[in-house]
Amino acid sequence: MTNAADTVMTLYHWNILILPSGEEIFVGLRQRPETVPPFKPADEEDELLPFTLRNSSPITEFNPARGIGYTESGRRYVVIGPASDPTGMIRLSVDQMMPAEQINWKYPFTD
């Protein structure tokens, strides 16, 4: 059994969503663990996307210079590079979950 405190979530494309309550959560794309190597481009025969969408519990601590944060669940998140969403999947999923006027991203997306 894996303890949440021992779990590291690495997000390759990500941003921080500020919820209406003021809490902040990580939203991003995480490499599917069964996909090797992690940056293998999808080919025409792939039926599944090489990533999964991940939303965190509320963030308790985040160091943007190091790209490392911790959440209420005890998980450690590592984010790679600046906030980005080249596939549009992050924004699409949040657009479907929340009214547009409640969506507030902490960082501008770099695509």
Side-chain angles (χ1 to χ4, degrees), residues 6-48:
D6 296 330
T7 304
V8 176
M9 297 290 169
T10 302
L11 302 179
Y12 296 97
H13 299 293
W14 65 280
N15 206 327
I16 292 176
L17 178 64
I18 303 170
L19 300 174
S21 66
E23 293 177 308
E24 299 178 352
I25 63 171
F26 291 109
V27 181
L29 301 180
R30 179 174 186 246
Q31 192 65 36
R32 276 190 15 237
E34 67 272 18
T35 305
V36 177
F39 293 106
K40 172 189 171 284
D43 55 45
E44 292 179 19
E45 296 174 7
D46 287 340
E47 292 183 19
L48 297 174

Side-chain angles (χ1 to χ4, degrees), residues 75-96:
R75 286 196 169 88
R76 178 169 55 137
Y77 278 76
V78 176
V79 297
I80 307 296
S84 64
D85 185 20
T87 65
M89 294 294 294
I90 297 168
R91 287 173 277 198
L92 176 65
S93 74
V94 172
D95 286 345
Q96 292 177 346

